[in-house]
Amino acid sequence: MRMFQVCVCGQPLQLREQPTPQPKGTEVLLKTLAAGVCHSDIHLNDGYFDLGGGKRMSLEDRGMKLPVTLGHENVGEVVAVGPDARGAKVGARMLVHPWIGCGHCAVCARGDENLCRAMRSLGVFINGGYADHIMVPHPRYLIDIGDLPPERAAPLACSGVTTYGALKKVPTLKTEPTVIIGAGGLGLMCLALHKQMGGHSAIVVDIDPAKRDAAKQAGAAAVIDGAAPDAAQQIIKLTDGGAWAVIDLVGSSQTARLGVDSLIKGGKYVIVGLFGGDVTLSLPPIPMRALTVQGSYVGSLPETTELIELVRRTGLPPVPVRTRPLDDVNAVLDELRAGKVIGRVVLTP
Ligand SMILES: [Zn+2]
Ligand SMILES: [Zn+2]
């Protein structure tokens, strides 16, 4: 099999070849049909997250072992099934839920594998989909996509479930406007799912006019330039006193400041993006204004299953998707790094 791996952090992915493994135990082998390129692949390629103040969180310190094949938004066709992999059928086209926990701790048992302390995420800690084949540890991580096109379904595994999980943390989703910071691939997905989940209205913030246009066309009630000095005041005015919920898909020092400053009393700031940085917050306003600051990390297996049900019922989120050959992976990562991608790029082997 051919696969593109991080061999040295900060350097382009390297093409490697090895014999295609045969599934053992509960494993299932899929032929890759589509693999979405996610912004976090840039961090995974670089090998660290920026913690602000010159500090870094190293992924190798957190258990990432090199070389590893990236790619965590995958759809594949089952081609071989281990002797104990019950329920997996050769020929089925499946979305791979990549946020895999240890499988036996209390957190995993209650369905929050994405919060397990010993995660084995596919495309992060175990080999992912920037390859012609993917090995999945257990058939329970496979979700039937029915007749959804693989390249449109693949982004649901990260971009989709990450925004779905964040939107589910907004109690006022159906009754008040939700502010979405960031109108890249994640932002457009969030906007589309917000609508499909019955959201009231969405105000989208981005510093890039092209991305604001894309959000406007995709149904944002209003768009705001995040670089405007009065961006928070604009949000407060549009929401009649402040936002009940801000979902920050960027996660930089600037957007965190903006997000918290835009809230109404009782409002909630949900941080999803991993751009990096830090922020100093005055503490008294947090209790006095009863603010909530909540992190949201990818999504759980039950959430991915719910999301696929939602999409099969209400249609695919109309996020622009472009396909590129797998061999272009390094060029695509560079374009993403330069902020040149609108919507999502999906690799096909
Ligand atoms: Zn991702
Ligand atoms: Zn666990």
Side-chain angles (χ1 to χ4, degrees), residues 11-41:
Q11 290 190 13
L13 306 186
Q14 285 178 29
L15 173 63
R16 294 169 55 125
E17 294 191 35
Q18 69 173 42
T20 308
Q22 282 309 300
K24 301 183 289 287
T26 60
E27 290 177 339
V28 181
L29 181 72
L30 294 97
K31 182 173 73 141
T32 313
L33 298 175
V37 182
C38 173
H39 209 274
S40 64
D41 286 324

Short mmCIF file of all heavy atoms in Angstrom, two decimals, residues 11-41:
data_model
loop_
_atom_site.label_atom_id
_atom_site.label_comp_id
_atom_site.label_asym_id
_atom_site.label_seq_id
_atom_site.Cartn_x
_atom_site.Cartn_y
_atom_site.Cartn_z
N GLN A 11 8.44 18.85 8.23
CA GLN A 11 8.85 18.59 6.85
C GLN A 11 7.69 17.99 6.06
O GLN A 11 6.77 17.44 6.65
CB GLN A 11 10.04 17.63 6.84
CG GLN A 11 11.29 18.33 7.39
CD GLN A 11 12.55 17.51 7.17
OE1 GLN A 11 12.55 16.53 6.42
NE2 GLN A 11 13.60 17.91 7.84
N PRO A 12 7.72 18.13 4.71
CA PRO A 12 6.62 17.59 3.91
C PRO A 12 6.38 16.11 4.21
O PRO A 12 7.29 15.39 4.62
CB PRO A 12 7.11 17.77 2.46
CG PRO A 12 8.12 18.87 2.52
CD PRO A 12 8.77 18.76 3.87
N LEU A 13 5.12 15.70 4.00
CA LEU A 13 4.80 14.28 4.18
C LEU A 13 5.59 13.47 3.17
O LEU A 13 5.81 13.90 2.05
CB LEU A 13 3.31 14.04 3.97
CG LEU A 13 2.35 14.89 4.81
CD1 LEU A 13 0.91 14.43 4.59
CD2 LEU A 13 2.70 14.84 6.28
N GLN A 14 6.01 12.28 3.57
CA GLN A 14 6.78 11.42 2.67
C GLN A 14 5.95 10.24 2.21
O GLN A 14 5.23 9.64 3.00
CB GLN A 14 8.02 10.90 3.39
CG GLN A 14 9.11 11.96 3.54
CD GLN A 14 10.31 11.41 4.30
OE1 GLN A 14 10.59 10.21 4.25
NE2 GLN A 14 11.02 12.28 4.98
N LEU A 15 6.08 9.96 0.92
CA LEU A 15 5.40 8.78 0.36
C LEU A 15 6.19 7.53 0.74
O LEU A 15 7.39 7.45 0.52
CB LEU A 15 5.34 8.91 -1.17
CG LEU A 15 4.80 7.69 -1.91
CD1 LEU A 15 3.36 7.39 -1.53
CD2 LEU A 15 4.90 7.89 -3.41
N ARG A 16 5.48 6.58 1.36
CA ARG A 16 6.12 5.31 1.71
C ARG A 16 5.25 4.18 1.21
O ARG A 16 4.05 4.32 1.05
CB ARG A 16 6.32 5.21 3.22
CG ARG A 16 7.31 6.25 3.70
CD ARG A 16 7.36 6.38 5.19
NE ARG A 16 7.64 5.11 5.83
CZ ARG A 16 8.64 4.91 6.67
NH1 ARG A 16 9.49 5.86 6.96
NH2 ARG A 16 8.79 3.75 7.27
N GLU A 17 5.89 3.05 0.95
CA GLU A 17 5.14 1.88 0.49
C GLU A 17 5.45 0.70 1.39
O GLU A 17 6.57 0.56 1.86
CB GLU A 17 5.52 1.56 -0.96
CG GLU A 17 5.07 2.67 -1.89
CD GLU A 17 5.17 2.31 -3.37
OE1 GLU A 17 4.94 1.13 -3.70
OE2 GLU A 17 5.49 3.21 -4.16
N GLN A 18 4.41 -0.10 1.65
CA GLN A 18 4.63 -1.32 2.44
C GLN A 18 3.56 -2.33 2.03
O GLN A 18 2.55 -1.95 1.44
CB GLN A 18 4.58 -1.01 3.94
CG GLN A 18 3.19 -0.62 4.43
CD GLN A 18 3.15 -0.47 5.95
OE1 GLN A 18 4.07 0.07 6.57
NE2 GLN A 18 2.09 -0.97 6.56
N PRO A 19 3.77 -3.61 2.33
CA PRO A 19 2.74 -4.59 1.97
C PRO A 19 1.43 -4.25 2.69
O PRO A 19 1.46 -3.87 3.86
CB PRO A 19 3.31 -5.92 2.49
CG PRO A 19 4.76 -5.67 2.73
CD PRO A 19 4.93 -4.21 3.00
N THR A 20 0.31 -4.38 1.99
CA THR A 20 -0.99 -4.09 2.60
C THR A 20 -1.25 -5.11 3.70
O THR A 20 -1.20 -6.32 3.45
CB THR A 20 -2.10 -4.17 1.54
OG1 THR A 20 -1.70 -3.34 0.45
CG2 THR A 20 -3.44 -3.69 2.08
N PRO A 21 -1.50 -4.65 4.96
CA PRO A 21 -1.70 -5.62 6.05
C PRO A 21 -3.05 -6.33 5.93
O PRO A 21 -3.97 -5.82 5.30
CB PRO A 21 -1.68 -4.72 7.30
CG PRO A 21 -2.03 -3.36 6.83
CD PRO A 21 -1.63 -3.26 5.39
N GLN A 22 -3.13 -7.50 6.53
CA GLN A 22 -4.41 -8.24 6.59
C GLN A 22 -5.03 -8.01 7.96
O GLN A 22 -4.32 -8.00 8.96
CB GLN A 22 -4.15 -9.73 6.35
CG GLN A 22 -3.93 -10.08 4.89
CD GLN A 22 -5.03 -9.52 3.97
OE1 GLN A 22 -6.19 -9.84 4.12
NE2 GLN A 22 -4.64 -8.64 3.03
N PRO A 23 -6.35 -7.81 8.02
CA PRO A 23 -6.98 -7.53 9.32
C PRO A 23 -6.93 -8.74 10.25
O PRO A 23 -7.16 -9.87 9.83
CB PRO A 23 -8.43 -7.19 8.95
CG PRO A 23 -8.63 -7.69 7.56
CD PRO A 23 -7.30 -7.78 6.90
N LYS A 24 -6.59 -8.46 11.52
CA LYS A 24 -6.56 -9.49 12.56
C LYS A 24 -7.66 -9.16 13.58
O LYS A 24 -8.04 -8.00 13.72
CB LYS A 24 -5.21 -9.48 13.29
CG LYS A 24 -4.02 -9.71 12.38
CD LYS A 24 -2.71 -9.77 13.18
CE LYS A 24 -2.25 -8.43 13.75
NZ LYS A 24 -1.70 -7.47 12.80
N GLY A 25 -8.13 -10.14 14.31
CA GLY A 25 -9.11 -9.91 15.39
C GLY A 25 -10.31 -9.13 14.89
O GLY A 25 -10.99 -9.53 13.95
N THR A 26 -10.55 -7.97 15.53
CA THR A 26 -11.73 -7.17 15.18
C THR A 26 -11.43 -6.14 14.08
O THR A 26 -12.28 -5.31 13.77
CB THR A 26 -12.25 -6.41 16.41
OG1 THR A 26 -11.20 -5.55 16.88
CG2 THR A 26 -12.69 -7.35 17.52
N GLU A 27 -10.24 -6.17 13.52
CA GLU A 27 -9.86 -5.14 12.54
C GLU A 27 -10.63 -5.27 11.23
O GLU A 27 -11.05 -6.36 10.83
CB GLU A 27 -8.36 -5.23 12.24
CG GLU A 27 -7.48 -4.79 13.40
CD GLU A 27 -6.00 -4.95 13.10
OE1 GLU A 27 -5.63 -5.75 12.20
OE2 GLU A 27 -5.20 -4.30 13.77
N VAL A 28 -10.78 -4.12 10.58
CA VAL A 28 -11.43 -4.08 9.26
C VAL A 28 -10.53 -3.28 8.33
O VAL A 28 -10.08 -2.18 8.68
CB VAL A 28 -12.82 -3.41 9.35
CG1 VAL A 28 -13.50 -3.38 7.99
CG2 VAL A 28 -13.71 -4.11 10.38
N LEU A 29 -10.28 -3.82 7.15
CA LEU A 29 -9.45 -3.11 6.17
C LEU A 29 -10.36 -2.48 5.11
O LEU A 29 -11.25 -3.13 4.57
CB LEU A 29 -8.48 -4.09 5.50
CG LEU A 29 -7.54 -3.47 4.46
CD1 LEU A 29 -6.46 -2.59 5.12
CD2 LEU A 29 -6.87 -4.55 3.59
N LEU A 30 -10.12 -1.18 4.87
CA LEU A 30 -10.90 -0.48 3.85
C LEU A 30 -9.97 0.03 2.76
O LEU A 30 -8.81 0.38 3.03
CB LEU A 30 -11.63 0.73 4.46
CG LEU A 30 -12.73 0.40 5.47
CD1 LEU A 30 -12.19 0.50 6.89
CD2 LEU A 30 -13.90 1.33 5.31
N LYS A 31 -10.52 0.08 1.56
CA LYS A 31 -9.85 0.78 0.46
C LYS A 31 -10.32 2.23 0.56
O LYS A 31 -11.53 2.49 0.61
CB LYS A 31 -10.28 0.15 -0.86
CG LYS A 31 -9.62 0.74 -2.07
CD LYS A 31 -9.98 -0.07 -3.31
CE LYS A 31 -11.42 0.21 -3.68
NZ LYS A 31 -11.80 0.32 -5.03
N THR A 32 -9.37 3.18 0.61
CA THR A 32 -9.76 4.58 0.79
C THR A 32 -10.49 5.09 -0.46
O THR A 32 -10.01 4.91 -1.58
CB THR A 32 -8.50 5.45 1.02
OG1 THR A 32 -7.68 4.81 1.99
CG2 THR A 32 -8.86 6.84 1.49
N LEU A 33 -11.64 5.72 -0.23
CA LEU A 33 -12.35 6.36 -1.34
C LEU A 33 -12.19 7.87 -1.30
O LEU A 33 -12.17 8.53 -2.33
CB LEU A 33 -13.85 6.00 -1.28
CG LEU A 33 -14.20 4.52 -1.41
CD1 LEU A 33 -15.70 4.32 -1.22
CD2 LEU A 33 -13.75 3.96 -2.76
N ALA A 34 -12.09 8.44 -0.11
CA ALA A 34 -11.98 9.89 0.03
C ALA A 34 -11.37 10.21 1.38
O ALA A 34 -11.69 9.57 2.38
CB ALA A 34 -13.37 10.53 -0.06
N ALA A 35 -10.48 11.20 1.40
CA ALA A 35 -9.83 11.62 2.65
C ALA A 35 -9.77 13.14 2.67
O ALA A 35 -9.06 13.76 1.87
CB ALA A 35 -8.42 11.02 2.75
N GLY A 36 -10.52 13.74 3.58
CA GLY A 36 -10.55 15.21 3.68
C GLY A 36 -9.29 15.75 4.31
O GLY A 36 -8.67 15.10 5.15
N VAL A 37 -8.90 16.95 3.85
CA VAL A 37 -7.72 17.60 4.42
C VAL A 37 -8.21 18.65 5.43
O VAL A 37 -8.95 19.55 5.07
CB VAL A 37 -6.87 18.28 3.34
CG1 VAL A 37 -5.62 18.92 3.96
CG2 VAL A 37 -6.47 17.26 2.27
N CYS A 38 -7.78 18.48 6.67
CA CYS A 38 -8.27 19.30 7.77
C CYS A 38 -7.18 20.27 8.20
O CYS A 38 -5.99 19.95 8.12
CB CYS A 38 -8.64 18.38 8.92
SG CYS A 38 -9.08 19.25 10.42
N HIS A 39 -7.61 21.41 8.73
CA HIS A 39 -6.64 22.40 9.17
C HIS A 39 -5.72 21.84 10.25
O HIS A 39 -4.54 22.20 10.33
CB HIS A 39 -7.36 23.66 9.67
CG HIS A 39 -6.55 24.88 9.47
ND1 HIS A 39 -5.62 25.29 10.40
CD2 HIS A 39 -6.47 25.75 8.46
CE1 HIS A 39 -5.02 26.38 9.96
NE2 HIS A 39 -5.51 26.68 8.78
N SER A 40 -6.23 20.95 11.08
CA SER A 40 -5.37 20.45 12.16
C SER A 40 -4.25 19.55 11.61
O SER A 40 -3.27 19.31 12.31
CB SER A 40 -6.18 19.74 13.24
OG SER A 40 -6.79 18.61 12.71
N ASP A 41 -4.39 19.09 10.36
CA ASP A 41 -3.28 18.34 9.77
C ASP A 41 -2.01 19.19 9.66
O ASP A 41 -0.90 18.66 9.66
CB ASP A 41 -3.66 17.81 8.38
CG ASP A 41 -4.63 16.65 8.47
OD1 ASP A 41 -4.49 15.85 9.41
OD2 ASP A 41 -5.52 16.55 7.62
#
